[in-house]
Amino acid sequence: MRYINLLVLVMLIIGVTPKMSGQSRNYKPERPAIESQSDKLRMAKGWKLDILGNWISNENAISDIELTEATKYSVPQNFKWLQFVLLKNGGQDIYALLYETTAYISAGQSERRVYYFLMDSPSYSNIISTIQQKTGETMTIHSSSFGYMSDRDGVYTANKLLKQMEQSILDAEKSPAYNLNLNAQHVDSEDVVRFRLPEQASLIKDENLKESYFETGLKDIQRILLPVSSQAETREFDLGNVTVSPSGMAQSIDDDIADRTPVKPQAEDFNLTDQKSVLPTEDSISNGIQNISLQDTIAAINERPTKETAIVSAPIAQLSDIEGWYLNSEGEWVTDNNHSYKFETVGKYEMRNFRYRDKDYILITRFEKYAGASYYLISKADYLNTLVALERSSILRFPVIAYAGIGNTLRDMIELSEKTIDTPENKDAVVYRSNYMVLQYKLSLQKNISRFFVFYQECSKYGAETSRENCNTKVSNKIKYDDEAMLGSDILFNKAYYESTYNNFMNFFRRPVSSNSLPESTPKEDKTEWDIEAR
């Protein structure tokens, strides 16, 4: 019996071996490639509800303030163009939403970016269905295959973009989910499509597109939609009614109808046409791209409703006649129009009254010339108590209740402030946290000069509120420069600062003061006059 078993085992090995070793070393798996790309949508109106209940519109950008061409790309929801691309991966279709934008990084620095959002055939088919049905119901597509290519990271080509797409697919299981929200409807005697560019699912605040969205005509969207192959249903290769032109554009067979106004790609556009790039083969992208889920409720979006929020005033004070000065390596004082300037570039400060749950606050906004705004919410009582030392100190630390850095809007800050105020205090905390808006300054009434800098501190105490405080200094969420270590010390003013007049500085920071609300200040004869030297 033992010999019979041995004989059977030998026969099995002989039969299996050719299958294990018969594959040629020259074998290469089929690799997916760009199959087709749509035209580009170059214009959509961005709408957002501001704090006063007014709808603010911008071309190709969503903001609650009117943007200029120079500031348009300081908000996260903006684009130059967008299009759909079809990739073939053996028997599988991968659809990508691509869009290009310019992002401001820091003082005078920007970069071009092409973003991608990958989805499978069922997801893309649901986009088509939602647009065709025009029910007004908001559809959400989920995907963890999202990212962008930057022109500051070397080459700016389709090869590089596809490699990054591949890596996003490989990393999908450990990447955060992103959502694409979209609906179509008939409103104001017109068929329209409303959408937002993909954004991280955990940060979405208006998933039903009630208060902020892009809007464009349904026909404009239909022009950039790619046909859906029957392969999405059968998984069999079938050309159907679709072929691919030499340029890579999807066309229908026997299509001899020319466009009345063909759109020529702009010279500066990133373009996939004529690229021979391919993606390495993956068995499936289903692990990284989830199916579509329709919203359980139909958003009431035929009208643009208002929403009750905290009461926020128009600006009550502004400090705008300021200029940054920086001592460069050659020992020369320069402003931000000089290439050797390595300081940040604040253009102005604004102050607003903020009232919520019968309490008064001060909201200060710090506007970067090229990178957006930062926001500080301070209790009015704390502000006035801190301001007492204005004329006899060189550093004031205003306790901050809520802070939002660059990339946030005024409405984002209002919502964050409401949420922070509504959050109950944790009385069992082991770590006590407190944050400050720090104003460091030197003043000369005689010369009518103020030199100053504003920064943010995150501080904590462990064990008890009387413990030693440890603080982390932050200029903003996104801006860093070489001389941050000088903040809080007198040597800062030997290297970098902002300058304005004494009167404008005092008028701005003393604006919340009224005759019966300011605690008694230091007597005038005790006021310190700093020795401010000329540059």
Side-chain angles (χ1 to χ4, degrees):
M1 186 67 182
R2 184 174 58 182
Y3 295 105
I4 295 175
N5 291 338
L6 179 62
L7 180 61
V8 172
L9 177 61
V10 170
M11 292 177 67
L12 284 173
I13 292 175
I14 294 172
V16 171
T17 300
K19 295 182 180 180
M20 296 173 60
S21 60
Q23 190 180 68
S24 170
R25 286 185 296 272
N26 294 325
Y27 170 78
K28 292 183 180 180
E30 187 176 356
R31 307 178 72 190
I34 299 170
E35 182 75 5
S36 62
Q37 57 178 311
S38 72
D39 288 337
K40 293 177 177 177
L41 179 70
R42 301 182 184 278
M43 195 280 177
K45 187 73 73 175
W47 289 96
K48 187 161 186 176
L49 195 67
D50 72 6
I51 59 174
L52 301 178
N54 301 316
W55 283 95
I56 307 299
S57 67
N58 288 281
E59 184 175 315
N60 289 11
I62 298 177
S63 176
D64 55 3
I65 61 173
E66 293 184 3
L67 303 172
T68 65
E69 193 63 31
T71 60
K72 180 184 298 184
Y73 301 111
S74 64
V75 297
Q77 288 280 321
N78 77 83
F79 69 92
K80 289 183 176 179
W81 55 260
L82 59 83
Q83 69 175 158
F84 288 100
V85 173
L86 171 62
L87 306 173
K88 286 287 186 179
N89 183 12
Q92 185 180 29
D93 291 346
I94 306 173
Y95 289 88
L97 172 66
L98 301 185
Y99 57 98
E100 186 175 25
T101 185
T102 297
Y104 288 111
I105 306 305
S106 60
Q109 298 182 355
S110 63
E111 65 182 26
R112 290 174 66 190
R113 294 178 179 177
V114 175
Y115 285 84
Y116 56 86
F117 179 85
L118 305 183
M119 65 197 94
D120 54 16
S121 290
S123 298
Y124 183 75
S125 297
N126 274 275
I127 291 179
I128 303 295
S129 176
T130 298
I131 292 173
Q132 290 174 343
Q133 293 174 11
K134 296 180 292 185
T135 63
E137 187 173 343
T138 299
M139 172 209 66
T140 299
I141 297 178
H142 311 287
S143 175
S144 295
S145 296
F146 174 83
Y148 68 86
M149 173 184 67
S150 167
D151 68 346
R152 293 175 64 87
D153 298 331
V155 295
Y156 196 61
T157 64
N159 275 321
K160 179 181 176 182
L161 181 64
L162 289 172
K163 288 179 181 178
Q164 292 190 205
M165 289 180 183
E166 174 212 358
Q167 192 61 46
S168 292
I169 294 172
L170 296 176
D171 296 340
E173 289 187 356
K174 57 184 179 181
S175 299
Y178 284 78
N179 287 356
L180 171 64
N181 292 321
L182 175 145
N183 69 59
Q185 59 183 298
H186 184 82
V187 59
D188 298 332
S189 303
E190 183 182 4
D191 291 335
V192 300
V193 175
R194 293 174 179 172
F195 64 95
R196 287 178 64 86
L197 299 174
E199 49 199 333
Q200 192 167 335
S202 61
L203 302 179
I204 292 178
K205 300 174 181 176
D206 187 19
E207 61 183 11
N208 286 325
L209 307 182
K210 290 183 178 180
E211 300 174 5
S212 59
Y213 46 77
F214 289 105
E215 181 177 280
T216 189
L218 184 140
K219 291 182 179 179
D220 294 327
I221 286 290
Q222 289 177 331
R223 291 190 184 101
I224 69 166
L225 295 178
L226 295 172
V228 179
S229 169
S230 60
Q231 186 179 356
E233 303 295 334
T234 67
R235 295 297 182 185
E236 295 179 356
F237 179 76
D238 184 4
L239 286 174
N241 293 323
V242 179
T243 185
V244 180
S245 70
S247 66
M249 301 298 294
Q251 297 178 335
S252 60
I253 295 176
D254 298 328
D255 181 4
D256 60 352
I257 302 176
D259 290 338
R260 289 187 294 272
T261 55
V263 178
K264 297 182 179 180
Q266 296 179 357
E268 70 275 11
D269 277 358
F270 174 84
N271 206 319
L272 289 169
T273 305
D274 296 330
Q275 297 287 341
K276 305 300 182 184
S277 309
V278 292
L279 280 167
T281 298
E282 288 299 319
D283 292 336
S284 173
I285 64 169
S286 60
N287 289 336
I289 302 179
Q290 304 172 28
N291 240 337
I292 292 177
S293 62
L294 294 177
Q295 299 294 331
D296 293 331
T297 57
I298 297 178
I301 51 180
N302 287 338
E303 298 179 357
R304 298 186 172 103
T306 60
K307 178 185 177 182
E308 183 179 357
T309 63
I311 300 174
V312 183
S313 74
I316 61 172
Q318 187 177 99
L319 182 60
S320 58
D321 60 331
I322 61 177
E323 189 160 36
W325 288 93
Y326 181 80
L327 185 66
N328 66 17
S329 58
E330 280 113 30
E332 298 177 341
W333 284 97
V334 296
T335 60
D336 62 6
N337 57 10
N338 188 292
H339 72 279
S340 63
Y341 182 88
K342 296 182 179 180
F343 196 46
E344 45 135 71
T345 53
V346 174
K348 68 176 179 179
Y349 289 86
E350 279 186 354
M351 184 180 294
R352 299 172 186 261
N353 286 322
F354 186 108
R355 186 170 178 81
Y356 186 59
R357 297 195 178 280
D358 297 325
K359 291 187 178 180
D360 293 322
Y361 303 86
I362 301 297
L363 178 61
I364 293 179
T365 307
R366 176 180 183 220
F367 290 94
E368 283 283 339
K369 291 182 180 179
Y370 310 107
S374 301
Y375 304 87
Y376 310 85
L377 185 74
I378 305 166
S379 160
K380 187 172 183 179
D382 287 341
Y383 186 94
L384 295 176
N385 288 332
T386 304
L387 201 67
V388 171
L390 178 65
E391 298 182 51
R392 55 182 169 85
S393 183
S394 60
I395 295 180
L396 298 181
R397 300 172 77 219
F398 297 92
V400 170
I401 293 174
Y403 167 79
I406 290 172
N408 291 279
T409 65
L410 179 58
R411 175 160 288 280
D412 295 334
M413 178 59 182
I414 294 171
E415 292 175 354
L416 173 64
S417 298
E418 293 172 342
K419 182 178 179 180
T420 302
I421 294 170
D422 289 338
T423 301
E425 180 183 359
N426 183 7
K427 297 183 179 180
D428 297 325
V430 177
V431 178
Y432 297 86
R433 304 185 187 279
S434 54
N435 304 318
Y436 300 93
M437 184 190 80
V438 183
L439 172 63
Q440 185 175 354
Y441 57 98
K442 283 191 174 184
L443 305 174
S444 174
L445 176 59
Q446 182 179 359
K447 297 177 181 178
N448 194 23
I449 290 177
S450 63
R451 292 176 181 170
F452 66 94
F453 189 67
V454 175
F455 57 95
Y456 182 63
Q457 275 188 337
E458 295 177 332
C459 302
S460 61
K461 299 176 182 179
Y462 184 79
E465 291 189 81
T466 56
S467 301
R468 181 178 177 180
E469 188 174 58
N470 296 308
C471 294
N472 176 37
T473 295
K474 299 175 66 176
V475 175
S476 70
N477 278 345
K478 293 188 178 179
I479 293 180
K480 298 291 180 185
Y481 58 93
D482 296 338
D483 303 302
E484 284 190 19
M486 297 182 181
L487 295 178
S489 68
D490 286 340
I491 60 174
L492 172 68
F493 295 101
N494 296 328
K495 185 65 175 180
Y497 51 78
Y498 288 100
E499 184 172 286
S500 183
T501 66
Y502 173 91
N503 292 334
N504 287 340
F505 176 92
M506 296 295 284
N507 289 340
F508 177 79
F509 286 103
R510 289 175 59 89
R511 179 62 180 84
V513 178
S514 63
S515 59
N516 56 6
S517 64
L518 178 67
E520 187 174 350
S521 182
T522 304
K524 185 174 181 179
E525 58 268 24
D526 291 338
K527 187 183 72 173
T528 302
E529 176 81 15
W530 285 281
D531 183 17
I532 297 184
E533 299 177 355
R535 283 178 291 275

